[in-house]
Amino acid sequence: MNVLLTGGLGYIGSHTAVVLSHLGNQITLYDNLSNSTEIVAKNIEKICGQKINFVKGDVRNTETLKHVLTSFKIDSVIHFAGSKSVAESVKEPIEYYDNNVQSTISLLCAMRLAQVKSLVFSSSATVYGDPLYLPFDEQHPTNPISPYGRSKLHIEEMLADVAASDSEWCIACLRYFNPVGAHDSGLIGENPKGIPSNLMPYIAQVASGLREVLNVFGNDYPTRDGTGVRDYVHVMDIADGHAAALTYLRKHPSWQSINLGTGQGYSVLEIIDAFEVASGKSIPFRVVPRRAGDIAEFYSSTIIAQRELKWKASRDLINMCASTWKFQTQLTKS
Ligand code: NAD
Ligand code: UDP
């Protein structure tokens, strides 16, 4: 299959590129490099042992996208490109709606022009908002609490309307929980620009000495040790989930939202412990006040992903931490 990955040089896109390429797909990566670099393309080629198509471009440029879709004879698109910081979205909602919602409209227009109607979209567990019950299943009401989360929900709703209007469309919205970890080679991983806002890359930078101390945002939550609990899922498992979704879409036209998580939550203190074991480094931390907008605890139901995609996460927490650490040490060396 010929697959276009928008945002294909980013964290999740690059790992998915490796998985799809190993499965024999022809992949084309389309990225404006706003949050990545061309070195990632070189490292994907090293891992896959073959040349990869990369086109530098913005998803909001419908004409270029249409040209790419037709000239590379694309069968399916995975749409990773977008902006992903909750805090930034509160400060810059217009930019977020532009780069998430507007860019998806541009992609849909290009796909319609090129007659490509198979799409996997990167959604997020943030569409659920505060849990009314746990685990979050796909029936849980959606009530996102940030412009970022609302942009994801608006896109999902838009995609449902598109699928309802034309039965040839096949669309899967994958709601990721907390992707972490890196490819076993240590060549690709999560490398945020500036100060990391997510827990795992922050811990990795503390372990490598780039940052002095981890701030633990609150230890007075109603959780088993008072710190926030999340469903961390290995990025290679997430990548496998995309391959499963593409297979699923070949047999199931229409629209569906599916959670990608492990079903297991870990607290911040448990993540620190696991990282210390995996890296052999100690992680100094201090408890600071809660971060605004944080939810105490959430994790995923895995029933729909197992039933529909035949997908289940298989990599454990130590693997998530060890692969993050391997990537971080190679980054620090280079
Ligand atoms: P990332 O920032 O590492 O990757 C996104 C890529 O898209 C980057 O390479 C960036 O340069 C590119 N990009 C951004 N805007 C673009 C545009 N207009 N045109 C072309 N390229 C553009 O992010 P990621 O962690 O790989 O996330 C991928 C997707 O998954 C995002 O849509 C994100 O919202 C979603 N998601 C991520 C997480 C997470 O924790 N990483 C969780 C849930 C959902
Ligand atoms: N967290 C923390 N210190 C940090 C970053 C995150 O204590 O520097 C906590 C955060 O409060 C949450 C968990 O770690 O309980 C996961 O946060 P992350 O930002 O990685 O994911 P999200 O909150 O978006 O699910």
Side-chain angles (χ1 to χ4, degrees):
M1 218 191 324
N2 296 331
V3 188
L4 178 74
L5 281 65
T6 74
L9 295 192
Y11 174 45
I12 303 171
S14 56
H15 291 80
T16 305
V18 168
V19 165
L20 293 180
S21 172
H22 277 147
L23 290 172
N25 298 284
Q26 272 300 325
I27 54 165
T28 300
L29 310 180
Y30 185 86
D31 202 300
N32 67 0
L33 302 180
S34 57
N35 198 32
S36 52
T37 64
E38 278 191 64
I39 297 165
V40 177
K42 294 275 157 264
N43 286 336
I44 295 171
E45 287 179 347
K46 266 192 211 161
I47 296 169
C48 298
Q50 61 178 40
K51 187 117 190 53
I52 299 294
N53 301 322
F54 166 59
V55 178
K56 184 177 174 193
D58 195 296
V59 183
R60 289 162 293 192
N61 188 335
T62 312
E63 270 310 304
T64 312
L65 257 185
K66 189 210 150 201
H67 178 70
V68 170
L69 288 166
T70 48
S71 53
F72 289 96
K73 299 189 170 45
I74 298 298
D75 303 299
S76 287
V77 177
I78 308 183
H79 182 34
F80 296 103
S83 305
K84 63 170 181 177
S85 157
V86 168
E88 204 174 62
S89 78
V90 174
K91 289 190 210 117
E92 297 170 7
I94 299 171
E95 283 74 10
Y96 266 66
Y97 287 115
D98 180 40
N99 204 34
N100 291 354
V101 181
Q102 186 56 43
S103 74
T104 307
I105 295 172
S106 168
L107 172 66
L108 290 169
C109 291
M111 289 177 73
R112 186 174 55 182
L113 286 168
Q115 287 293 299
V116 179
K117 294 185 176 177
S118 166
L119 174 65
V120 177
F121 168 62
S122 293
S123 189
S124 165
T126 52
V127 297
Y128 294 117
D130 274 317
L132 302 177
Y133 59 85
L134 286 172
F136 277 137
D137 57 31
E138 290 79 352
Q139 302 306 316
H140 188 285
T142 47
N143 186 21
I145 52 177
S146 70
Y148 168 69
R150 280 189 283 275
S151 77
K152 291 291 179 189
L153 186 59
H154 292 336
I155 295 167
E156 283 202 16
E157 289 168 344
M158 230 162 57
L159 296 177
D161 288 340
V162 169
S165 73
D166 173 353
S167 60
E168 287 180 8
W169 280 91
C170 321
I171 303 177
C173 299
L174 300 181
R175 295 175 174 167
Y176 315 148
F177 279 67
N178 288 60
V180 295
H183 187 262
D184 279 346
S185 63
L187 285 170
I188 53 172
E190 188 172 16
N191 184 18
K193 290 185 174 167
I195 302 171
S197 57
N198 293 114
L199 180 66
M200 192 65 98
Y202 203 108
I203 290 182
Q205 293 196 3
V206 173
S208 71
L210 283 175
R211 302 199 182 274
E212 259 175 37
V213 61
L214 171 74
N215 291 319
V216 173
F217 298 139
N219 64 354
D220 56 353
Y221 284 107
T223 59
R224 49 185 174 270
D225 62 20
T227 65
V229 169
R230 296 289 182 275
D231 185 338
Y232 298 93
V233 48
H234 199 296
V235 67
M236 289 302 289
D237 279 325
I238 293 272
D240 290 340
H242 289 79
L246 288 177
T247 306
Y248 174 79
L249 287 183
R250 273 191 255 156
K251 294 184 220 132
H252 300 85
S254 179
W255 175 95
Q256 179 131 18
S257 282
I258 302 179
N259 289 345
L260 292 187
T262 65
Q264 156 95 55
Y266 288 105
S267 74
V268 176
L269 297 183
E270 288 165 346
I271 298 294
I272 296 173
D273 283 349
F275 205 96
E276 289 187 333
V277 170
S279 66
K281 299 276 175 186
S282 80
I283 312 291
F285 71 87
R286 65 180 169 222
V287 176
V288 298
R290 292 179 179 193
R291 182 171 66 178
D294 265 355
I295 290 168
E297 175 166 13
F298 63 84
Y299 47 92
S300 173
S301 162
T302 60
I303 292 171
I304 301 288
Q306 285 191 56
R307 193 182 68 206
E308 302 296 327
L309 303 183
K310 318 287 178 232
W311 174 90
K312 193 172 185 295
S314 64
R315 293 152 175 101
D316 65 13
L317 182 59
I318 289 294
N319 185 336
M320 297 180 212
C321 295
S323 57
T324 303
W325 179 234
K326 184 168 182 186
F327 174 68
Q328 182 64 47
T329 42
Q330 293 197 192
L331 253 190
T332 317
K333 266 191 254 154
S334 63

